Structure formats: C-alpha cells, structure tokens
Amino acid sequence: MTQSVVVQVGQCGNQVGCRFWDLALREHAHVNKKGVYDEALSSFFRNDLWNEDRGGVKEQCNIRAGLIIAYLNPQAVLVDMEEGVVNEILQGPLREVFDSTQLLTDVSGSGNNWAVGHMTYGSAYREQIVDKLRKAAEHCDCLQCFFLIHSMGGGTGSGLGTRVLGLLEEEFPEVCRIVTSIYPSAEDDVITSPYNSILAMRELTEHADCVLPVENQSLVDIVNKIKQMSHIGKPGSVIKTDSSVISGQGGLSGAEKPFDAMNNIVANLLLNITSSARFEGSLNMDLNEIAMNLVPFPRLHYLVPSLTPLYTLADVSVPTRRLDQMFSDAFSKDHQLIRADPKHSLYLACALMVRGNVQVSDLRRNIERLKPSLPFVSWNQEGWKTGLCSVPPVGHSHSLLALANNTCVKPTFIELRERFTKLYRKKAHLHHYLHVDGMEQEFFSEAVSSLDSLIEEYNQLDATKGRLVPDAPRLDIAR
Amino acid sequence: MSVVTVQLGQCGNQVGHELFDLTCSDAYSGCVFCLYGTTAYLFLSFCWSELVARAILVDMEPKVINQCICRASRSGMWRYGDTSYFSQKQGSGNNWANGFCVLGPRHRDEVEELVRREVERCDRLAGLMAIMSVAGGTGSGVGTYVTRCLRDIFPKSFILNHLTWPYGTGEVHRVIITILLTLAHLYQLSDAILVHENDTVHRICSQLLNIKHISFSDVNRVIAHQLGSVLQPTLTADSDGVYGRNPIGELVSALTCHPEYKLLSVSTIPQMPSSSIAYSTFSWPGLLKHLRQMLISNSKMEEGIDWQVQLPGASGRTRSLIAPSFNTSLANLLILRGKDVYSAETGGFEDPALYTSWLSSEEAFNMWKSPVPFNKYEKSATLVSNSQALLRPLDNMVGKAWNMFASRAYIHQYIKFGISEEDFLDSFTSLEQVISSYSQLS
C-alpha cells in the first residue's frame, strides 16, 4: 500500500486541509468498524504508539502496534506564516491528531505578497521545510505522492507554496506532485491577487506533475445550488442529511464555520482521487497513473475536476436511471470546479473515477452514450481512463469524479492574464514586490510569457478541433 | 510433464485465478478427475492431499495478489503456493517503460528465483505460460521483461503468452502505444501469442450469456472457459492413445510453424447461460457448421454470424468484388470434447480453400479429441486459429499509434524512462511487417 503526504500552505490551504482530515477520519470510521489499523488507513495516517506532545510516556504495553489504533497521526506538513489558522486547528477537535513537529509557523504573515512568501520566507525557512518533509517521507514505507493544497491569490499559499513545490521537485524528484490550487474569483478581496496568481502559475507549469484548479466562484455556485435544493421543501426532494458533498456531519467539528461548505467540496475531491489507491476495486487506478494517462504534453497538466452527485435525495431507492444521470452531470458545466464548459472545448484526455456499486458494463454504456457529444482531440479519440473502487463515499451509494484535461481552462487563464495586465500597465502595487530581496522585474515578464506560451499551446490544440486531420503516412514495408 | 504459469499484473492475476478455479472444478465435477490421472497435474501439483497451482503471481502492488490467494484458499479445492508470489508496494503507473526499463530489471533476480523454484518442482517442464494484459503497466511492461528473462533462462522451452486486448473504446489512447511496444517485443520472444479481446468477450457475456450487469469477473470467467477448453487434457495425434502431456508444445507445433505468424485467436461453441444448458440439445454437425462459418466470417460468437461470406468456388481463387472477403487461415486446431466425439465429421475444416496456398490442408488442420465433457457442456468445440482474425484490430492500432507518434503525444513519459524514438521506430517496423505478412495470406 502506498502512502501520500499532504502539504498544506497558507490560510486557505490549511483550512481546506483541516476539512480534508476531518472528512478522511469520518470516511475511514465509516468503513473500518473494528478500529483496526488497516492498509487503507496507512495511506494517509500513521499509527503512533506514543507521542511526545501527549505526555511523552509510552502507552500501555498491551496495545500491539499495527493492530489497534492507538494514535492516528496524519502524514501532513502544515505551513503558515501567521499563527492564527494553525492555532485554531490546534485548539479545535483535531488537536490530538497533529503533533508539533509537523507544523511550521511564523508570526507576521506574507502580507498578500508572493515575493515575501517565495523569496523571503522561502529562503529563511528552507532548511526547516526540507527537514520536515524528509521526516514525513521517512515515515512512509513507499511514498507515492505529495499533495500540495494552497491558494493562488494570497501571499503565503501562493509564494511559499510554490517554493515548497520547487523544493519537492529537488529533493524528491521521483515522487508525483499533485497540486490543488484555489484560484481567485474576479471579485477577490485581495487586490494584488492577479500578480500573485500569475507568478505562481509559472511555478506550477514548471514544477508540478498535475494541477487541479478550483475556482472560488464555482464552489459558491455549487453551495448555493445545494442550499436551494434543501430549501425547496418539495416532498420528493429532501436531501439525506449527511450525504451532500458540502456536509461535514459526522466529522469531528461541531458547528459549521463560514467557508466550511466550500472547503468540504475540495476535501471530497481529494478523498475521491485517492479512493482507488486506498480501497479495493475491480479496476484500480493509482495516483501515478493519473499523470501518466492524462498528461500527453508535459506542460499541459491542468485537470478540471467535477464531482457528482452533489447530494442524495433521502427517500427514493436508486434505479439505474440515477446512475446514468450521475454520468451526464459530471460533464455539465454546473458541476465543474472551475467556471468552464468542457463540452464545448476540446478534450485531450479524461479520467472517470467511480466509487460504489457500479459495474464495468454501466461504465462502458455511459461512455458510449456520452462520447458523441464530447469533442476529443484527433489523435486521442478514445482518451478515457477509468477506475472502479468498490467502497462508496459516506452517505452515497456511488459517486463519480471526472478529471478532464481540457482546453476549457484557457478562458480562465486568459481572464487572469487580463486582470494582471490591468494592474501591471499602471505599475500599481509593483513597488511592494520589487522591494523584496531577490525579486526583480524580470520575474513578472517571464511569468507572463510562460502563461502566454501555455495559452498558445492550448490555442494550437483548439485549432485542430473539428478539423479533419489527415492520417500521417504509414511506414512502407518492402514486399 | 508440467506447465508453469506466470500471472502478471492485475488482469493476468485475475484471469489466471479464474482459469485455475475452472480447471479444478471441471476436473472435480462428476469424478472426472480420476479419468485424467496424472495428466491433470499439468497445471497443478498434488501436495499433502491438496492441489497447489504451479503458478507464480507477479504484480507491482499487493491488493490483487492478496485477493487471488485468499479466494483460492477459500475454494477448498486448490490453492496457490505459499511463497509463490512477488509484489511491491507501488504499481507501475500504467507506464510500459517504467515496467520494462526500471521495475523489471530491478526485481529480475527475485522473480527468476521464484520461476526456477517452481520449475524445479516439475519432473519435466512442458512449457511456460505467461498471462497478462497488453494495456496496463505491470502486465505489459514487466510482463514483457519477464518473458525475456524466461526466454534467456529456458531457451529451448515453449513459451505461450496469453494477452487480453483492451476495450476499443473507453480506454486511454496512450494504451495504444503500450500495445505497440508489448507486441513488437513479444513477437521476438514468444512462441505463440493467444489474444482475447475484451470487446468480444463482453459481447459474449451480454448476448450469449444474457448477463445484465457485466463485471470483470464475468469477462474473466469466459476467458478462462475458452482457455480451459484448449488446455484441459485431450487425445492428440502425437499422444498415442493416452491423454497428451504436452499441450503447449503441440499447440505451438500445430499452429505457429512460421516465425512471422504467431497471433492466435480462440472461439468456442456453444456458450450459453448455465441455467439453459440442461434444456438444450447439441449435435456435432450443427456445432461444427457454425464454428466453420465463424472462422470464415471472422465472427467470435454463434449469434450474428454473417452467412454471406463464402469460400471461393473450386473453379478458381478469384474473389468477386461484391462478396465480402473471408478470413484466410494459416493453420487451425479443432478441439472436440464430449459425447460421441469420435463420430464428429470435420471434413469442412480440411477444405484447402480455407488455408493459404503454401501450406497443404493436411498440415494446416489439426484435431484433438476428448470424450470427457468440459464445464458441464455435453458437447463443445473449440477452434484455435492462426488466421487474419486479428489483422484488422492490429492494423487499426498501429495506425492510431502512428498518428500519436507523429504528434509526439505522451512520448515524454516513455523517454523519461529510457525508451528512445529509435525503439519506437523499430517497434513500428516490426509490426508493419507482421501486418504485411498476415495480409499476404489471402
């Protein structure tokens, strides 16, 4: 069984990460009724016999390691340059789960400045970060993947987060790096978020293996849709209580905090991606297979996620029609986690990770049904990667996560670039960045040109859409 | 004589497990076991009154192997050897180059040791069978490397590779490159390559067996049934009145007489839901007529056969432009099992028009028989055929792979592990050669 390490950086990264651990514990508690430390748990958690922070005394000798869960310790590194969020985690119900060696905090924060996060703190804390990452990696038997969770618009998540990404590539080049990036929406409260995002984008394009972009606005729309559904009050539309993708019910935290609903969606995304690596199924899909199958060209590794179902209705039992509806929904633009319409753009490849009691024939039937309406690139007409995991998520009988390598990310990037240009043209707020040691104007121009060439690559692929590309002439064999 | 089986990757292990399960339950049913005597120990050995499979399970991640071993022990009829497996913690990531260039060589010694140990337990090695999928990372990449090692250690033994060809749709196109590299390499190493297509087997499950929600176990069971009907003991021309002890060797010498032609396909008749078997009657003329037309029209099921496809008349080998072209064979092996097998009339398969011109039909057609019914079917007939059946899928695959290679998609994933563009071009060349040879059969 392979292990993954989660690195959460910045306020957003840590809040999402906190929801992720809560839901992961809930999911495992649901499946693992006997409290035995099994292989599924070992992919994200360690079973500690003793923990220095909790008394420093070896626990009772009658707890045999590997059998009963003594202390579950998540394989995570929490980084933040201001203490507020991490302190809140440590005072909340998850306090017993983390130990102090996994945390890295500072006092003053990055001031929403990518350069401060990347250069100043990046250099100052480089040794400590590498040290903590190494410790986390050493505890793993077989480390498969690093999950990095951060936001693009802030200072720490964006700046220090991408610095950590670079360090991961240097120190652990063979380990897959999957980054979940929360992109700012147009009405973001951070004014310099376009600068931070563009500077971070370049790092993501160069150093990440896969990026799962998530936009705040889409999360808000999904949350509103669910709330609307639960308030309609029609008899047949009562949502089963802990089944919606935004609910944290059954987890450790009590009252729901403001961003919790949105963060739960991202946490569910991470849980579903790793489900096949943790639980058994008839068609396993490991994490390194995601990058292998969905990334035909090294720089085009932005995979648009979509999760279905968003909720389960309480009363009806599930006929097959519901199953097909789930597949159709996965491709509708309401369920994508960025504001994009993949159906009208070009697919380079698509992965479907199904959980629950779904058979390969259902999967194939739905792929056959949906294929004609989805435009795929000419040399990858059958570009589907599928995974079947038999354990469904909590509260649902089955679920589907679709990851699409699709040119519909292009409008998001173009919009980001326009917001950047508006500020950059006037050189607004630029001095805050240039004052930082190590930061130069070239960084900005290089970042923009990197994004431009990325957009250009997507453009070239789009240009082939719908065009009948002639087959390349085959090798001729002498008869 | 014994056959050692190597199960590689998720698919290889799942199919291999179903095959052993079927072989044992068929042998046990109706005390037929005693009739086979020691020849049943081709694939299994008797150890402390238990049947132990002569098999090695190889996978780069442990989940599937654990499942197979548990299920085998739970069956009560047979089990796998206690130490006959090799697994790592992390899979190959669906990357052929990772399996072939990195993981295979890294674990070569351990896997070779397991094979050697298993072979030493046999009194005489009748051949090696490697079961794998042609689309994954471990099965295809590590599997190809392991086949190469087997060929190095046992240069004189027969090696049969069983490949599962993935679904035509619903699988990533990168799979095409994997198939290309696997087939190109295996062609040099293996003696015969027996292919099952997921699409075909899926159709058998839905249309013949009437299974509503088809799972991979159903698909694997059909593959196991078809493989089992080939490999269970029979009376062959060479076996001198006793049950043959060298199925792989005889299969290879019957069918793959030319190094350019190694692709074999299997069809079995009848195939129906087990609940209907008791209510059906079978006759050899009916079964054989359908099977012959299935061969000619290249259809793998007894439903939807195209009866329009006909052999050219005795007057000449000119084919009319309107009639659909038929499937030319290099060689065929017909295996008959069940009641009244000696009265079956197989002249239709000896028609020279079925075969290519440079091999006489006496040499091209072979037949094995066994009066023992197989898997509850009173009469069953299996045809293993070295023909143009796989030409079209192969041609399509190479065409698509060439387009992908031309646009350099996914190539960086392979170059990272050491496969160069030269290697790709070599693989393309050898497969184009195979396609050309098979096209020239007609």
Side-chain angles (χ1 to χ4, degrees):
Chain A
M1 185 59 65
T2 57
Q3 283 87 36
S4 308
V5 173
V6 176
V7 184
Q8 19 191 107
V9 186
Q11 172 174 18
C12 172
N14 277 297
Q15 283 177 336
V16 172
C18 179
R19 297 311 312 141
F20 168 72
W21 292 114
D22 198 353
L23 290 181
L25 284 170
R26 176 177 83 150
E27 184 171 275
H28 282 281
H30 194 80
V31 172
N32 186 348
K33 302 277 192 229
K34 295 191 222 138
V36 171
Y37 179 67
D38 62 3
E39 290 208 339
L41 271 171
S42 72
S43 63
F44 277 117
F45 295 91
R46 280 195 329 263
N47 188 13
D48 272 348
L49 259 196
W50 106 65
N51 184 301
E52 276 172 8
D53 284 350
R54 300 173 210 149
V57 180
K58 250 199 179 115
E59 274 303 311
Q60 303 94 315
C61 313
N62 58 3
I63 298 181
R64 270 180 291 162
L67 281 193
I68 306 197
I69 297 175
Y71 285 115
L72 275 182
N73 185 243
Q75 280 146 203
V77 177
L78 290 76
V79 179
D80 200 356
M81 290 298 105
E82 52 150 12
E83 296 180 313
V85 181
V86 175
N87 276 342
E88 223 184 301
I89 296 180
L90 289 180
Q91 283 157 15
L94 286 177
R95 62 179 167 275
E96 302 199 356
V97 166
F98 295 104
D99 74 56
S100 58
T101 56
Q102 296 175 289
L103 313 173
L104 180 67
T105 55
D106 199 313
V107 186
S108 44
S110 307
N112 282 331
N113 189 327
W114 183 91
V116 172
H118 195 96
M119 313 284 179
T120 318
Y121 286 124
S123 331
Y125 285 105
R126 188 183 189 284
E127 302 303 326
Q128 286 194 44
I129 293 177
V130 172
D131 198 43
K132 288 182 196 292
L133 290 173
R134 265 241 186 86
K135 269 223 192 75
E138 269 159 30
H139 277 125
C140 297
D141 243 343
C142 176
L143 178 61
Q144 184 174 63
C145 171
F146 279 109
F147 281 103
L148 181 67
I149 315 178
H150 72 142
S151 72
M152 300 284 278
T156 306
S158 153
L160 188 55
T162 46
R163 188 61 191 267
V164 170
L165 183 63
L167 288 174
L168 287 175
E169 190 177 26
E170 255 177 64
E171 303 286 326
F172 307 96
E174 289 155 8
V175 180
C176 189
R177 294 170 292 283
I178 300 187
V179 184
T180 309
S181 306
I182 318 287
Y183 279 72
S185 20
E187 306 90 34
D188 200 56
D189 55 338
V190 177
I191 299 188
T192 51
S193 65
Y195 286 156
N196 295 331
S197 309
I198 299 276
L199 289 165
M201 274 283 301
R202 180 185 172 205
E203 304 291 317
L204 289 183
T205 310
E206 311 277 317
H207 301 297
D209 285 318
C210 282
V211 179
L212 307 169
V214 177
E215 254 186 277
N216 263 346
Q217 190 56 45
S218 309
L219 295 179
V220 168
D221 290 339
I222 291 178
V223 170
N224 286 338
K225 201 162 130 185
I226 297 178
K227 294 237 164 82
Q228 202 185 33
M229 200 54 210
S230 49
H231 287 141
I232 283 184
K234 270 200 319 225
S237 63
V238 173
I239 298 183
K240 216 158 95 162
T241 35
D242 66 346
S243 73
S244 86
V245 83
I246 61 170
S247 120
Q249 225 177 4
L252 284 172
S253 326
E256 244 188 44
K257 297 202 294 278
F259 275 98
D260 270 357
M262 290 161 63
N263 293 338
N264 278 336
I265 301 180
V266 185
N268 272 312
L269 164 66
L270 285 174
L271 279 180
N272 282 341
I273 279 196
T274 53
S275 59
S276 192
R278 291 179 289 140
F279 300 113
E280 59 166 33
S282 58
L283 192 54
N284 300 330
M285 180 149 93
D286 245 345
L287 292 163
N288 45 8
E289 293 175 20
I290 295 181
M292 175 64 196
N293 285 298
L294 293 178
V295 182
F297 303 106
R299 282 158 55 92
L300 305 183
H301 53 237
Y302 293 87
L303 311 175
V304 179
S306 77
L307 278 176
T308 52
L310 298 175
Y311 49 78
T312 312
L313 295 181
D315 45 358
V316 266
S317 62
V318 186
T320 322
R321 193 188 66 84
R322 272 308 143 78
L323 190 64
D324 289 7
Q325 184 63 35
M326 179 175 82
F327 279 91
S328 307
D329 281 342
F331 296 98
S332 90
K333 67 176 178 15
D334 297 329
H335 288 248
Q336 309 298 322
L337 296 187
I338 64 170
R339 300 252 298 285
D341 191 5
K343 268 187 160 153
H344 294 117
S345 314
L346 193 62
Y347 274 90
L348 298 175
C350 185
L352 296 175
M353 306 185 68
V354 186
R355 295 181 69 173
N357 188 16
V358 181
Q359 298 303 342
V360 66
S361 54
D362 298 316
L363 192 54
R364 285 175 41 74
R365 184 186 66 238
N366 279 292
I367 292 180
E368 287 300 318
R369 188 172 61 92
L370 292 166
K371 208 171 50 147
S373 59
L374 300 171
F376 268 81
V377 76
S378 65
W379 40 259
N380 208 5
Q381 287 290 329
E382 316 293 340
W384 298 90
K385 172 71 187 153
T386 49
L388 288 170
C389 172
S390 33
V391 176
V394 176
H396 296 272
S397 58
H398 36 66
S399 78
L400 171 65
L401 165 69
L403 293 173
N405 191 343
N406 188 311
T407 56
C408 66
V409 288
K410 203 178 54 169
T412 311
F413 295 159
I414 293 182
E415 209 194 300
L416 202 59
R417 196 198 182 301
E418 274 166 21
R419 279 190 266 147
F420 173 90
T421 315
K422 266 200 225 153
L423 287 180
Y424 193 60
R425 248 193 336 231
K426 305 290 186 188
K427 305 273 188 284
H429 302 280
L430 218 48
H431 59 285
H432 295 297
Y433 292 82
L434 298 176
H435 275 158
V436 175
D437 225 356
M439 185 71 183
E440 284 148 24
Q441 188 113 7
E442 274 82 51
F443 277 93
F444 284 93
S445 40
E446 276 168 22
V448 174
S449 61
S450 152
L451 184 59
D452 278 338
S453 65
L454 189 67
I455 295 178
E456 184 49 39
E457 279 180 54
Y458 277 114
N459 270 333
Q460 275 174 358
L461 285 168
D462 259 340
T464 67
K465 179 177 167 198
R467 240 191 12 199
L468 220 55
V469 180
D471 287 334
R474 299 264 293 270
L475 292 175
D476 219 357
I477 299 291
R479 309 235 160 204
Chain B
M1 288 179 82
S2 325
V3 174
V4 172
T5 308
V6 185
Q7 310 179 176
L8 297 145
Q10 174 168 23
C11 172
N13 278 297
Q14 286 174 335
V15 170
H17 170 263
E18 293 289 348
L19 177 63
F20 280 110
D21 216 34
L22 179 68
T23 314
C24 286
S25 58
D26 181 54
Y28 271 122
S29 67
C31 225
V32 144
F33 196 46
C34 3
L35 287 178
Y36 287 154
T38 51
T39 56
Y41 305 139
L42 276 174
F43 294 96
L44 302 124
S45 62
F46 223 33
C47 176
W48 297 107
S49 76
E50 261 189 306
L51 279 178
V52 179
R54 291 189 204 281
I56 295 150
L57 300 87
V58 177
D59 200 357
M60 288 298 116
E61 51 129 11
K63 291 195 290 265
V64 181
I65 291 187
N66 288 338
Q67 261 177 11
C68 288
I69 295 184
C70 286
R71 271 202 232 140
S73 317
R74 268 197 300 227
S75 75
M77 286 188 293
W78 65 286
R79 62 180 175 83
Y80 283 107
D82 289 325
T83 51
S84 307
Y85 62 92
F86 176 79
S87 73
Q88 286 294 281
K89 305 266 177 52
Q90 180 169 300
S92 309
N94 271 190
N95 190 326
W96 190 93
N98 191 13
F100 188 79
C101 304
V102 176
L103 297 174
R106 196 186 286 170
H107 304 297
R108 178 196 180 124
D109 293 332
E110 288 141 311
V111 176
E112 277 188 4
E113 181 54 38
L114 284 174
V115 176
R116 252 188 261 265
R117 240 193 289 155
E118 199 58 56
V119 168
E120 271 158 31
R121 280 194 212 122
C122 305
D123 52 0
R124 210 167 144 206
L125 184 64
L128 299 149
M129 183 165 69
I131 311 183
M132 54 213 234
S133 87
V134 80
T138 302
S140 54
V142 176
T144 310
Y145 189 79
V146 168
T147 309
R148 195 165 81 176
C149 298
L150 292 178
R151 182 49 82 203
D152 285 337
I153 314 175
F154 307 104
K156 304 262 171 56
S157 298
F158 294 113
I159 298 183
L160 168 70
N161 281 76
H162 175 266
L163 295 182
T164 306
W165 194 278
Y167 289 104
T169 61
E171 286 279 345
V172 182
H173 224 57
R174 172 230 28 110
V175 147
I176 301 285
I177 298 187
T178 309
I179 303 181
L180 173 87
L181 293 169
T182 307
L183 269 185
H185 281 79
L186 278 184
Y187 227 77
Q188 318 301 327
L189 302 166
S190 181
D191 289 307
I193 303 178
L194 187 60
V195 179
H196 268 107
E197 293 172 81
N198 263 351
D199 274 317
T200 310
V201 179
H202 192 102
R203 259 181 304 157
I204 292 179
C205 285
S206 71
Q207 289 177 2
L208 293 181
L209 301 178
N210 285 332
I211 304 178
K212 292 259 167 1
H213 298 289
I214 301 172
S215 65
F216 272 116
S217 326
D218 300 312
V219 172
N220 293 337
R221 249 175 250 136
V222 172
I223 296 180
H225 172 89
Q226 296 200 340
L227 263 185
S229 67
V230 175
L231 297 170
Q232 286 286 57
T234 52
L235 303 163
T236 69
D238 292 338
S239 66
D240 295 330
V242 297
Y243 282 105
R245 309 180 70 125
N246 191 8
I248 297 193
E250 298 199 36
L251 184 99
V252 166
S253 61
L255 293 174
T256 56
C257 52
H258 190 297
E260 274 296 308
Y261 301 92
K262 291 184 183 168
L263 293 176
L264 307 177
S265 54
V266 186
S267 351
T268 313
I269 192 172
Q271 296 220 248
M272 53 178 60
S274 43
S275 48
S276 316
I277 298 181
Y279 304 107
S280 316
T281 51
F282 310 106
S283 72
W284 284 119
L287 290 177
L288 290 174
K289 184 163 158 224
H290 277 79
L291 196 56
R292 182 174 182 274
Q293 191 60 24
M294 276 160 69
L295 169 67
I296 298 176
S297 62
N298 193 17
S299 128
K300 295 286 185 318
M301 313 197 291
E302 61 254 43
E303 243 179 62
I305 303 179
D306 186 355
W307 291 94
Q308 297 296 330
V309 181
Q310 293 292 338
L311 292 180
S315 49
R317 292 186 73 85
T318 51
R319 270 180 278 127
S320 93
L321 292 163
I322 314 163
S325 59
F326 73 98
N327 182 30
T328 314
S329 311
L330 175 63
N332 282 313
L333 168 62
L334 182 63
I335 305 170
L336 303 174
R337 296 179 187 275
K339 221 166 99 175
D340 303 328
V341 76
Y342 296 106
S343 66
E345 181 51 59
T346 55
F349 288 94
E350 291 164 34
D351 187 345
L354 276 174
Y355 301 100
T356 187
S357 52
W358 46 266
L359 198 60
S360 76
S361 60
E362 288 82 46
E363 293 177 10
F365 175 66
N366 300 272
M367 182 157 63
W368 297 353
K369 292 190 179 136
S370 163
V372 179
F374 175 67
N375 203 15
K376 308 197 190 69
Y377 288 99
E378 182 197 65
K379 298 187 175 81
S380 65
T382 304
L383 188 67
V384 186
S385 140
N386 188 344
S387 69
Q388 295 173 318
L390 290 160
L391 179 56
R392 196 139 37 95
L394 185 61
D395 195 37
N396 283 343
M397 181 274 286
V398 174
K400 286 183 194 159
W402 188 245
N403 279 337
M404 258 179 29
F405 186 63
S407 53
R408 292 292 180 278
Y410 294 107
I411 303 294
H412 68 281
Q413 310 264 12
Y414 296 89
I415 297 193
K416 208 165 50 165
F417 286 105
I419 305 281
S420 65
E421 292 199 3
E422 291 298 315
D423 294 321
F424 274 101
L425 286 172
D426 285 338
S427 305
F428 276 112
T429 321
S430 45
L431 286 186
E432 291 280 3
Q433 181 64 58
V434 172
I435 292 175
S436 160
S437 308
Y438 270 102
S439 317
Q440 287 183 316
L441 273 184
S442 46

